[in-house]
Amino acid sequence: MGNLIDVAAVMRQLGPGSEKPEAVCRHRSTLATSYTFDEGARWSWRRQPTGRDALAGLVFVDVPVTVDGDLGEERAEVGSAVFLHPHRDLHLSAQARGKAVGVWLPWDSLLEVETGVQSPRQVLTPTPLTVGLGAFLTSLLVQPSDATPYTDYLVERVLAEMAFGALLESVPKNVAGAREDRPIDRARSLMLMRRAEGEFGVAELAQEMHMSTRHLQRMFAAENSAPADELRGMRIDLANELLGDPAYDSLSISEIAMHAGLRTPSALRRAFAGRGLPLPARARSERMPVG
């Protein structure tokens, strides 16, 4: 999903006045950091050249800050998120002593959120998604745990998906072509977020969507689809990604099945066969070089 981001790269982008983070948590290409800053502290985010090495950030503060950037001056209240776009200059000034948490991601994992006429705002107002992302970051930084290759992958994906969703929500709704928030899109987002959970199925999805299973199935049928089929497809895609990434060669086929939400190797084999794919063990062996 892009190049690794280190603390030094973030500090360079935040300017000479930025302090070192108090806590750091890395999950593959994503980085979470926390800070304590004094009243009047100032960060100066500088625009970066275009290219694969560009990084973006979302910062959550517990005190108001002044945001002065290419889109004008705004005040970010407590609970808001400040978007540090890789190709915009931005200055943040703290109005009081406080704390902040931030997530830093490769821009190529987020750039699809904007087009030539749509672009995320520089201050994201609180929504359940932005509040949830801030709380998740705080949890990662306050309660660090020993990560496995799979949890690294899963947290990276969750952070990227949540950041993408938060930025998408901030795109002005009056812009022609802005995406509508349809129930079926929310259902697909939930499936993508929870596809690795083997116990998550159509009944659980309907419960989270606050609708009956029959209504959920009718909603998908209107688009010539079925929620069970789409969820199975997402799990197959996840298993394929894990089998195709050398970083997960230490996982057995049984572990791949479990981490992809398919529970057992036989269920994984049936799912692959149903899509006309090579058996999982064969798919991995064909990728791995002969010793």
Side-chain angles (χ1 to χ4, degrees), residues 192-204:
L192 189 64
M193 295 282 287
R194 300 192 60 184
R195 59 181 174 168
E197 302 174 25
E199 67 279 4
F200 181 77
V202 174
E204 290 73 23

Side-chain angles (χ1 to χ4, degrees), residues 162-176:
M162 292 184 76
F164 184 89
L167 292 173
L168 189 65
E169 284 184 327
S170 78
V171 173
K173 299 301 182 185
N174 60 349
V175 176

